[in-house]
Short mmCIF file of all heavy atoms in Angstrom, two decimals:
data_model
loop_
_atom_site.label_atom_id
_atom_site.label_comp_id
_atom_site.label_asym_id
_atom_site.label_seq_id
_atom_site.Cartn_x
_atom_site.Cartn_y
_atom_site.Cartn_z
N ASP A 1 14.54 1.48 6.88
CA ASP A 1 15.57 0.52 6.37
C ASP A 1 16.93 1.00 6.78
O ASP A 1 17.30 2.14 6.47
CB ASP A 1 15.39 0.39 4.89
CG ASP A 1 16.08 -0.87 4.35
OD1 ASP A 1 17.34 -1.05 4.66
OD2 ASP A 1 15.47 -1.68 3.68
N ARG A 2 17.74 0.17 7.42
CA ARG A 2 19.04 0.61 7.95
C ARG A 2 20.10 0.56 6.83
O ARG A 2 21.22 1.04 7.08
CB ARG A 2 19.41 -0.32 9.06
CG ARG A 2 18.55 -0.20 10.29
CD ARG A 2 18.94 -1.15 11.45
NE ARG A 2 20.30 -0.90 11.87
CZ ARG A 2 21.23 -1.80 11.89
NH1 ARG A 2 20.99 -3.07 11.52
NH2 ARG A 2 22.45 -1.56 12.35
N ASP A 3 19.73 0.12 5.62
CA ASP A 3 20.72 0.11 4.55
C ASP A 3 20.89 1.54 4.05
O ASP A 3 20.34 2.49 4.51
CB ASP A 3 20.31 -0.90 3.46
CG ASP A 3 20.44 -2.29 3.99
OD1 ASP A 3 21.50 -2.63 4.64
OD2 ASP A 3 19.54 -3.10 3.72
N ALA A 4 21.63 1.62 2.89
CA ALA A 4 21.88 2.92 2.30
C ALA A 4 21.55 3.00 0.82
O ALA A 4 21.38 1.91 0.19
CB ALA A 4 23.41 3.31 2.44
N ASN A 5 21.35 4.20 0.34
CA ASN A 5 21.09 4.36 -1.14
C ASN A 5 19.86 3.56 -1.59
O ASN A 5 18.87 3.56 -0.88
CB ASN A 5 22.33 4.12 -1.92
CG ASN A 5 23.52 4.93 -1.47
OD1 ASN A 5 23.40 6.12 -1.23
ND2 ASN A 5 24.74 4.33 -1.43
N ALA A 6 20.05 2.94 -2.72
CA ALA A 6 18.82 2.19 -3.24
C ALA A 6 18.42 1.09 -2.30
O ALA A 6 17.20 0.78 -2.29
CB ALA A 6 19.17 1.63 -4.62
N ASN A 7 19.31 0.58 -1.60
CA ASN A 7 18.93 -0.50 -0.58
C ASN A 7 18.00 -0.05 0.47
O ASN A 7 17.36 -0.88 1.19
CB ASN A 7 20.23 -1.08 0.05
CG ASN A 7 21.12 -1.78 -0.98
OD1 ASN A 7 20.63 -2.32 -1.99
ND2 ASN A 7 22.35 -1.82 -0.71
N ALA A 8 17.95 1.29 0.65
CA ALA A 8 17.08 1.85 1.70
C ALA A 8 15.82 2.56 1.18
O ALA A 8 15.02 3.03 1.93
CB ALA A 8 17.90 2.82 2.55
N TYR A 9 15.66 2.57 -0.13
CA TYR A 9 14.47 3.20 -0.77
C TYR A 9 13.32 2.25 -0.63
O TYR A 9 13.37 1.09 -1.14
CB TYR A 9 14.72 3.58 -2.20
CG TYR A 9 13.50 4.25 -2.79
CD1 TYR A 9 13.24 5.59 -2.61
CD2 TYR A 9 12.69 3.49 -3.63
CE1 TYR A 9 12.12 6.15 -3.18
CE2 TYR A 9 11.49 4.05 -4.22
CZ TYR A 9 11.27 5.42 -3.93
OH TYR A 9 10.16 6.01 -4.46
N ILE A 10 12.24 2.70 0.00
CA ILE A 10 11.08 1.83 0.28
C ILE A 10 9.84 2.18 -0.59
O ILE A 10 9.56 3.36 -0.72
CB ILE A 10 10.68 2.00 1.79
CG1 ILE A 10 11.88 1.59 2.69
CG2 ILE A 10 9.48 1.15 2.15
CD1 ILE A 10 11.68 1.82 4.15
N SER A 11 9.23 1.22 -1.04
CA SER A 11 7.91 1.36 -1.75
C SER A 11 6.93 0.53 -1.03
O SER A 11 7.21 -0.56 -0.57
CB SER A 11 7.98 0.95 -3.17
OG SER A 11 8.42 -0.40 -3.31
N TYR A 12 5.67 1.12 -0.96
CA TYR A 12 4.63 0.41 -0.14
C TYR A 12 3.57 -0.12 -1.17
O TYR A 12 3.23 0.54 -2.18
CB TYR A 12 3.96 1.43 0.82
CG TYR A 12 4.94 2.02 1.81
CD1 TYR A 12 5.65 3.13 1.56
CD2 TYR A 12 4.99 1.38 3.05
CE1 TYR A 12 6.52 3.69 2.48
CE2 TYR A 12 5.86 1.91 4.00
CZ TYR A 12 6.62 3.10 3.68
OH TYR A 12 7.50 3.64 4.62
N SER A 13 2.99 -1.22 -0.75
CA SER A 13 1.88 -1.77 -1.60
C SER A 13 0.99 -2.59 -0.74
O SER A 13 1.30 -2.86 0.40
CB SER A 13 2.54 -2.70 -2.69
OG SER A 13 3.20 -3.75 -2.09
N LEU A 14 -0.22 -2.89 -1.27
CA LEU A 14 -1.22 -3.69 -0.60
C LEU A 14 -1.08 -5.16 -1.02
O LEU A 14 -0.83 -5.45 -2.20
CB LEU A 14 -2.59 -3.25 -0.89
CG LEU A 14 -2.94 -1.81 -0.45
CD1 LEU A 14 -4.31 -1.39 -0.98
CD2 LEU A 14 -2.88 -1.65 1.05
N ILE A 15 -1.09 -6.03 -0.03
CA ILE A 15 -1.11 -7.48 -0.36
C ILE A 15 -2.53 -7.79 -0.78
O ILE A 15 -3.50 -7.54 -0.11
CB ILE A 15 -0.77 -8.35 0.88
CG1 ILE A 15 0.67 -8.02 1.34
CG2 ILE A 15 -0.84 -9.79 0.55
CD1 ILE A 15 1.81 -8.30 0.41
N MET A 16 -2.61 -8.31 -2.00
CA MET A 16 -3.85 -8.61 -2.62
C MET A 16 -4.66 -9.64 -1.85
O MET A 16 -4.13 -10.61 -1.34
CB MET A 16 -3.71 -8.99 -4.08
CG MET A 16 -3.27 -7.87 -4.95
SD MET A 16 -4.44 -6.47 -5.03
CE MET A 16 -3.77 -5.31 -3.93
N GLY A 17 -5.93 -9.44 -1.70
CA GLY A 17 -6.83 -10.34 -0.98
C GLY A 17 -8.23 -9.90 -1.39
O GLY A 17 -8.49 -9.02 -2.24
N GLU A 18 -9.23 -10.46 -0.63
CA GLU A 18 -10.64 -10.16 -0.90
C GLU A 18 -11.33 -9.72 0.43
O GLU A 18 -10.97 -10.14 1.47
CB GLU A 18 -11.39 -11.31 -1.49
CG GLU A 18 -10.92 -11.63 -2.96
CD GLU A 18 -11.79 -12.71 -3.60
OE1 GLU A 18 -12.56 -13.35 -2.82
OE2 GLU A 18 -11.66 -12.96 -4.74
N ILE A 19 -12.19 -8.77 0.27
CA ILE A 19 -13.08 -8.36 1.36
C ILE A 19 -14.60 -8.53 0.83
O ILE A 19 -14.95 -7.86 -0.16
CB ILE A 19 -12.84 -6.93 1.77
CG1 ILE A 19 -11.37 -6.79 2.22
CG2 ILE A 19 -13.79 -6.48 2.89
CD1 ILE A 19 -10.98 -5.36 2.47
N GLN A 20 -15.36 -9.39 1.52
CA GLN A 20 -16.69 -9.67 1.02
C GLN A 20 -16.70 -9.95 -0.49
O GLN A 20 -17.65 -9.53 -1.25
CB GLN A 20 -17.65 -8.49 1.35
CG GLN A 20 -17.80 -8.20 2.82
CD GLN A 20 -18.76 -7.10 3.11
OE1 GLN A 20 -19.05 -6.27 2.27
NE2 GLN A 20 -19.31 -7.08 4.35
N GLY A 21 -15.74 -10.77 -0.89
CA GLY A 21 -15.75 -11.21 -2.28
C GLY A 21 -15.19 -10.22 -3.31
O GLY A 21 -15.13 -10.55 -4.47
N LEU A 22 -14.76 -9.00 -2.84
CA LEU A 22 -14.28 -8.02 -3.70
C LEU A 22 -12.77 -7.81 -3.38
O LEU A 22 -12.33 -7.97 -2.28
CB LEU A 22 -15.03 -6.70 -3.54
CG LEU A 22 -16.51 -6.71 -3.90
CD1 LEU A 22 -17.14 -5.40 -3.56
CD2 LEU A 22 -16.71 -7.06 -5.38
N ALA A 23 -12.04 -7.40 -4.39
CA ALA A 23 -10.64 -7.16 -4.23
C ALA A 23 -10.34 -6.03 -3.19
O ALA A 23 -11.16 -5.06 -3.05
CB ALA A 23 -9.92 -6.77 -5.57
N VAL A 24 -9.26 -6.08 -2.44
CA VAL A 24 -8.89 -5.08 -1.47
C VAL A 24 -8.84 -3.71 -2.11
O VAL A 24 -9.27 -2.75 -1.51
CB VAL A 24 -7.52 -5.42 -0.82
CG1 VAL A 24 -7.01 -4.29 0.02
CG2 VAL A 24 -7.66 -6.68 0.04
N SER A 25 -8.35 -3.66 -3.38
CA SER A 25 -8.22 -2.34 -3.99
C SER A 25 -9.57 -1.65 -4.27
O SER A 25 -9.65 -0.58 -4.66
CB SER A 25 -7.47 -2.56 -5.26
OG SER A 25 -8.11 -3.43 -6.19
N PHE A 26 -10.68 -2.44 -4.12
CA PHE A 26 -11.98 -1.87 -4.31
C PHE A 26 -12.35 -0.98 -3.12
O PHE A 26 -13.14 0.01 -3.18
CB PHE A 26 -13.04 -3.00 -4.41
CG PHE A 26 -14.42 -2.45 -4.70
CD1 PHE A 26 -14.91 -2.07 -5.95
CD2 PHE A 26 -15.39 -2.40 -3.64
CE1 PHE A 26 -16.18 -1.70 -6.18
CE2 PHE A 26 -16.65 -1.92 -3.82
CZ PHE A 26 -17.05 -1.52 -5.12
N PHE A 27 -11.69 -1.24 -1.98
CA PHE A 27 -12.02 -0.47 -0.69
C PHE A 27 -10.96 0.53 -0.38
O PHE A 27 -11.29 1.66 0.13
CB PHE A 27 -12.18 -1.47 0.45
CG PHE A 27 -13.29 -2.49 0.23
CD1 PHE A 27 -13.12 -3.63 -0.39
CD2 PHE A 27 -14.54 -2.16 0.74
CE1 PHE A 27 -14.16 -4.50 -0.54
CE2 PHE A 27 -15.66 -3.02 0.56
CZ PHE A 27 -15.46 -4.23 -0.11
N VAL A 28 -9.66 0.19 -0.56
CA VAL A 28 -8.60 1.11 -0.13
C VAL A 28 -7.52 1.15 -1.15
O VAL A 28 -7.43 0.33 -1.99
CB VAL A 28 -7.99 0.71 1.29
CG1 VAL A 28 -8.97 0.84 2.40
CG2 VAL A 28 -7.42 -0.72 1.12
N SER A 29 -6.71 2.27 -1.01
CA SER A 29 -5.58 2.41 -1.92
C SER A 29 -4.38 2.91 -1.13
O SER A 29 -4.57 3.41 0.01
CB SER A 29 -5.82 3.42 -3.10
OG SER A 29 -6.01 4.69 -2.61
N ILE A 30 -3.20 2.75 -1.61
CA ILE A 30 -2.02 3.16 -0.85
C ILE A 30 -1.05 3.93 -1.74
O ILE A 30 -0.90 3.59 -2.94
CB ILE A 30 -1.22 1.95 -0.17
CG1 ILE A 30 -0.20 2.44 0.79
CG2 ILE A 30 -0.70 1.02 -1.25
CD1 ILE A 30 0.32 1.27 1.65
N GLN A 31 -0.48 5.00 -1.27
CA GLN A 31 0.51 5.72 -2.03
C GLN A 31 1.87 5.05 -1.83
O GLN A 31 2.40 4.92 -0.72
CB GLN A 31 0.57 7.19 -1.50
CG GLN A 31 1.38 8.08 -2.44
CD GLN A 31 1.12 9.60 -2.07
OE1 GLN A 31 1.09 9.88 -0.87
NE2 GLN A 31 1.05 10.45 -3.03
N SER A 32 2.56 4.59 -2.90
CA SER A 32 3.68 3.78 -2.85
C SER A 32 4.82 4.41 -2.24
O SER A 32 5.66 3.80 -1.60
CB SER A 32 4.02 3.24 -4.22
OG SER A 32 4.36 4.33 -5.09
N GLY A 33 4.94 5.75 -2.41
CA GLY A 33 6.14 6.45 -1.93
C GLY A 33 6.01 6.88 -0.49
O GLY A 33 7.10 7.10 0.21
N THR A 34 4.82 6.99 0.05
CA THR A 34 4.69 7.49 1.44
C THR A 34 4.08 6.53 2.43
O THR A 34 4.18 6.66 3.65
CB THR A 34 3.81 8.74 1.44
OG1 THR A 34 2.46 8.40 0.99
CG2 THR A 34 4.42 9.81 0.50
N GLY A 35 3.32 5.51 1.95
CA GLY A 35 2.62 4.60 2.84
C GLY A 35 1.34 5.12 3.34
O GLY A 35 0.66 4.51 4.20
N ASN A 36 0.82 6.23 2.69
CA ASN A 36 -0.51 6.80 3.10
C ASN A 36 -1.56 5.89 2.53
O ASN A 36 -1.54 5.55 1.34
CB ASN A 36 -0.64 8.19 2.60
CG ASN A 36 0.30 9.21 3.25
OD1 ASN A 36 0.78 8.95 4.35
ND2 ASN A 36 0.62 10.26 2.60
N ILE A 37 -2.56 5.58 3.33
CA ILE A 37 -3.72 4.73 2.86
C ILE A 37 -4.96 5.60 2.87
O ILE A 37 -5.25 6.42 3.75
CB ILE A 37 -3.88 3.53 3.91
CG1 ILE A 37 -2.61 2.70 3.90
CG2 ILE A 37 -5.08 2.68 3.50
CD1 ILE A 37 -2.64 1.55 4.99
N TYR A 38 -5.73 5.41 1.75
CA TYR A 38 -6.94 6.15 1.52
C TYR A 38 -8.12 5.24 1.29
O TYR A 38 -7.93 4.12 0.83
CB TYR A 38 -6.74 7.08 0.32
CG TYR A 38 -5.58 8.05 0.45
CD1 TYR A 38 -4.35 7.70 -0.05
CD2 TYR A 38 -5.75 9.29 1.06
CE1 TYR A 38 -3.27 8.58 0.01
CE2 TYR A 38 -4.66 10.12 1.18
CZ TYR A 38 -3.44 9.75 0.60
OH TYR A 38 -2.38 10.64 0.76
N ALA A 39 -9.29 5.78 1.65
CA ALA A 39 -10.59 5.08 1.34
C ALA A 39 -10.86 5.34 -0.14
O ALA A 39 -10.87 6.46 -0.60
CB ALA A 39 -11.68 5.55 2.25
N VAL A 40 -11.16 4.26 -0.86
CA VAL A 40 -11.53 4.44 -2.32
C VAL A 40 -12.98 5.02 -2.41
O VAL A 40 -13.21 5.88 -3.18
CB VAL A 40 -11.38 3.14 -3.06
CG1 VAL A 40 -11.95 3.21 -4.46
CG2 VAL A 40 -9.93 2.68 -3.09
N GLY A 41 -13.82 4.40 -1.57
CA GLY A 41 -15.25 4.91 -1.67
C GLY A 41 -15.73 5.23 -0.29
O GLY A 41 -14.98 5.37 0.65
N SER A 42 -17.00 5.26 -0.10
CA SER A 42 -17.69 5.60 1.14
C SER A 42 -18.11 4.28 1.78
O SER A 42 -18.64 3.37 1.16
CB SER A 42 -18.91 6.51 0.87
OG SER A 42 -19.55 6.74 2.09
#
């Protein structure tokens, strides 16, 4: 973000949706401060 201070602080999130009838959050999660994405299960 080319802005400064709070205008440049970024938080990451998943846009809610479904995968095979289940919520996206059932499959993956995201760390809001870093943008790292993890598998919830196997």
Side-chain angles (χ1 to χ4, degrees):
D1 196 306
R2 296 177 59 234
D3 292 317
N5 302 320
N7 295 331
Y9 179 79
I10 301 172
S11 60
Y12 299 87
S13 61
L14 297 174
I15 299 296
M16 289 297 99
E18 291 186 351
I19 301 172
Q20 294 183 341
L22 298 174
V24 168
S25 58
F26 182 83
F27 296 90
V28 295
S29 65
I30 190 168
Q31 193 171 35
S32 63
T34 63
N36 294 335
I37 299 176
Y38 302 93
V40 171
S42 181

